[in-house]
Amino acid sequence: MRNKFVEARKTGRRTRTSHAQVVDELGKAIVAGTYPVGSILPGDTELAQRFKVSRTVLRETMKTLAAKGMVVAKARVGTRVTEKTLWNMFDSEIIAWHFDNGVTEEFLLHLYDIRLAVEPFAAGLVAERASTEEIETLRELAQEMSASGHTADSLALADLRFHLAIAEASHNPFMRTLGSLIEAALVGMFRISTPPSENGFANIADTHMRIVDAIVSGDSAAARRAMEVVIVDGRDHVHEAFAAHGSPVVLGPISPAI
């Protein structure tokens, strides 16, 4: 499974199309409040001059933002920024724009709420449905977290691969669509926290291996409980990190080297 959130943060603007760049700039500006809810975006002439793009590119840009629920076009009025309740918060780009703007503790905790609502059940499904090969992959991914020399970035990616593999092994296509939320929560937790050796991440391989052990036993209830422990532990790290650093926190991109 491709990691859309991580990949989006590793890709430089130089490789983007004009359409993608304008979407990115306007999307970030909307999330940042430069164009607040209810405001009308600048007209085509102003935007075309600013971004040096054609009206065709601008029309496609507005269609993309409208598909995300962020804007709505009205005849003789213009393109208006919609209420945040209409935004597709499962969209990986919208999540990334929140991180670029300065992610808050509240935002990250909302991500953990969704994880608690979904991932334990996914782990239970894996205990019932996973193949021998999938279980072996999960075991290898859990063991990878115990490797020496991890940075915050590399440990976040190792953790991410495990949780995405859980979603895949649940054999439920709806679980797989939550990948961007899982990515955002994990990247956020590791990037705002101190290095693993200093803040209790040293037991991360053990807590994830307990999920694998429950899956091997075919014990769906135990798998759910083990996953809950992992997610609650991550949520606690978010609390600790914001208590230490304050809020909001602007997170840099994941290193392209990993």
Side-chain angles (χ1 to χ4, degrees), residues 92-105:
S92 59
E93 285 188 302
I94 292 180
I95 295 172
W97 293 332
H98 279 81
F99 274 63
D100 290 334
N101 185 54
V103 67
T104 64
E105 179 179 12

Side-chain angles (χ1 to χ4, degrees), residues 115 117-129 163 166-172 175-176 178 182 211 215 220 223-224 227:
R115 292 189 67 197
V118 174
E119 286 191 78
F121 189 77
L125 290 180
V126 175
E128 299 171 2
R129 302 175 178 177
H163 287 276
I166 287 284
E168 194 74 20
S170 72
H171 295 278
N172 184 317
M175 294 293 183
R176 298 166 186 157
L178 297 177
I182 298 171
I211 299 173
I215 290 171
S220 58
R224 289 196 295 270
M227 180 64 81

Side-chain angles (χ1 to χ4, degrees), residues 11-82:
T11 302
R13 291 183 184 176
R14 290 171 296 179
T15 63
R16 293 176 179 167
T17 63
S18 296
H19 165 260
Q21 185 169 341
V22 178
V23 168
D24 186 62
E25 292 295 329
L26 288 177
K28 282 195 290 190
I30 291 171
V31 170
T34 303
Y35 301 118
V37 168
S39 66
I40 304 298
L41 295 181
D44 285 355
T45 300
E46 180 180 338
L47 291 176
Q49 291 176 345
R50 180 190 306 178
F51 294 111
K52 303 296 188 294
V53 295
S54 67
R55 290 178 182 269
T56 299
V57 169
L58 289 177
R59 283 195 296 271
E60 292 303 312
T61 295
M62 295 310 166
K63 286 180 183 178
T64 299
L65 293 175
K68 296 176 185 294
M70 302 181 77
V71 301
V72 60
K74 292 193 174 183
R76 295 185 297 278
V77 174
T79 302
R80 179 175 57 82
V81 178
T82 60

